């Protein structure tokens, strides 16, 4: 089931949009309406992060929906944002935050349907571009391109990214099926992103930032082969792309 939140200070507009969403969606959904940024913030404290948010830009009482998204929807979440407004002057300001669409009132069913379809398609696409992990009661989305390696530490996994590190209670065997072919388990406690590897000597992988990831004896025979095959496939892909 997809969870959708409408943040709209006008109750009639909010109900109208909810009716349109329920009419155009064939999938199972739940729709919740908030009438202010404060109410939306309270909703997030007691509910899972929604899949899609329809955010009005002018919420009344000086509240701005763009600022609310910046503050309440971290870039590490898969939530898709659809801005709604009656004012075209905001058409460029919305680009300060990630969003999937920008709808101008009055709403047209076809436009709402298209925006929702784009949102759900983007969410499905992101399943193959990153990994979602649970931290406390929140689900964090980590794009594969930002993930350097995963390290097992006690009952937790450390997801070491380009600019931060996340820790989640899970085992390494549970993370492996969620990763794609760029990741290689080189140690009982390490999974490395081969995109981040600069060199391999069979005993360790050296990353582009000069960090070293150990390779255990069990994986030494495969470590160089896997890395060379990965390089070969990616070089071939880039050459073919250039030629086309």
């Amino acid at each position: 089931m997809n969870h959708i939140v409408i943040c709209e200070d006008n109750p009639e507009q909010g109900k109208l949009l909810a009716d349109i969403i329920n009419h155009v969606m064939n999938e199972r959904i739940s729709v919740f309406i908030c009438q202010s940024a404060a109410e939306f913030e309270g909703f997030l404290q007691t509910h899972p992060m929604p899949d899609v948010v329809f955010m009005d830009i002018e919420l009344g009482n000086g509240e701005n929906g763009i600022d609310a998204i910046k503050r309440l929807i971290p870039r590490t979440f898969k939530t898709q944002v659809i801005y709604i407004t009656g004012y075209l002057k905001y058409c460029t300001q919305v680009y300060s935050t990630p969003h999937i669409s920008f709808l101008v009132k009055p709403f047209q069913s076809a436009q709402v349907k298209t925006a929702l379809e784009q949102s759900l398609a983007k969410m499905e696409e992101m399943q193959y571009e990153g990994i979602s992990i649970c931290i406390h009661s929140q689900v964090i989305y980590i794009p594969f391109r930002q993930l350097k390696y995963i390290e097992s530490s006690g009952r937790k996994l450390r997801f070491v990214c380009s600019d931060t590190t996340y820790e989640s209670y899970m085992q390494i065997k549970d993370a492996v099926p969620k990763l794609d072919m760029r990741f290689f388990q080189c140690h009982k406690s390490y999974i490395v992103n081969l995109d981040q590897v600069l060199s391999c000597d069979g005993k360790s992988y050296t990353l582009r930032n000069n960090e070293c990831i150990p390779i255990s004896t069990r994986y030494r025979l495969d470590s160089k082969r896997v890395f060379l095959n990965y390089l070969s496939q990616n070089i071939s892909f880039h050459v073919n792309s250039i030629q086309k």
Side-chain angles (χ1 to χ4, degrees), residues 205-223:
Y205 283 116
T206 301
L207 305 187
R208 298 183 186 279
N209 64 349
N210 290 323
E211 285 185 90
C212 288
I213 307 300
I215 298 170
S216 66
T217 303
R218 174 184 176 185
Y219 295 101
R220 283 182 183 174
L221 290 177
D222 290 332
S223 61

Side-chain angles (χ1 to χ4, degrees), residues 8-234:
E8 164 65 71
D9 64 318
N10 185 315
E12 292 182 1
Q13 290 283 343
K15 184 179 185 308
L16 173 62
L17 180 55
D19 289 342
I20 293 175
I21 292 171
N22 282 305
H23 177 71
V24 301
M25 289 292 289
N26 295 322
E27 304 177 33
R28 293 177 60 204
I29 59 171
S30 65
V31 181
F32 191 92
I33 302 175
C34 300
Q35 293 184 16
S36 68
E39 186 178 349
F40 180 47
E41 184 172 8
F43 173 89
L44 295 179
Q45 292 173 356
T46 56
H47 294 75
M49 189 63 68
D51 299 305
V52 182
V53 174
F54 284 83
M55 176 59 73
D56 192 13
I57 296 179
E58 288 197 1
L59 291 169
N61 298 319
E63 291 186 319
N64 183 289
I66 300 173
D67 293 336
I69 291 298
K70 287 180 182 177
R71 181 166 55 88
L72 300 173
I73 307 291
R75 292 174 180 265
T76 51
F77 287 79
K78 290 195 294 184
T79 299
Q80 301 300 303
V81 176
I82 300 171
Y83 282 113
I84 55 178
T85 186
Y87 306 95
L88 283 173
K89 64 181 181 180
Y90 292 110
C91 64
T92 56
Q93 294 182 33
V94 295
Y95 286 97
S96 63
T97 65
H99 64 285
I100 196 73
S101 191
F102 176 85
L103 302 181
V104 179
K105 303 173 186 177
F107 306 117
Q108 301 294 323
S109 295
Q111 293 173 327
V112 173
K113 182 179 181 182
T114 297
L116 279 169
E117 288 174 344
Q118 290 173 337
S119 298
L120 299 179
K122 181 61 177 178
M123 288 176 57
E124 183 175 356
E125 176 185 319
M126 289 174 74
Q127 292 180 3
Y128 303 99
E129 296 179 345
I131 183 172
S132 297
I133 62 173
C134 290
I135 300 178
H136 304 301
S137 60
Q138 299 286 5
V139 177
I140 303 293
Y141 175 75
I142 306 174
F144 287 149
R145 67 180 183 278
Q146 296 180 7
L147 181 56
K148 295 191 296 184
Y149 62 90
I150 301 170
E151 178 186 4
S152 177
S153 177
R155 294 187 299 154
K156 291 183 178 181
L157 290 186
R158 298 177 67 247
F159 294 81
V160 181
C161 302
S162 304
D163 56 358
T164 190
T165 297
Y166 301 100
E167 292 188 350
S168 179
Y169 284 100
M170 60 189 300
Q171 296 181 352
I172 208 162
K173 65 180 179 64
D174 299 320
V176 171
K178 299 180 180 181
L179 304 171
D180 67 9
M181 296 302 292
R182 80 190 79 185
F183 291 91
F184 175 64
Q185 183 173 356
C186 57
H187 190 282
K188 68 177 182 180
S189 299
Y190 287 91
I191 299 175
V192 67
N193 183 349
L194 296 174
D195 273 349
Q196 301 284 339
V197 174
L198 182 64
S199 64
C200 172
D201 62 7
K203 295 181 179 180
S204 65
Y205 283 116
T206 301
L207 305 187
R208 298 183 186 279
N209 64 349
N210 290 323
E211 285 185 90
C212 288
I213 307 300
I215 298 170
S216 66
T217 303
R218 174 184 176 185
Y219 295 101
R220 283 182 183 174
L221 290 177
D222 290 332
S223 61
K224 285 186 177 180
R225 176 183 56 80
V226 168
F227 181 50
L228 289 173
N229 285 345
Y230 186 75
L231 285 178
S232 175
Q233 291 170 5
N234 280 273

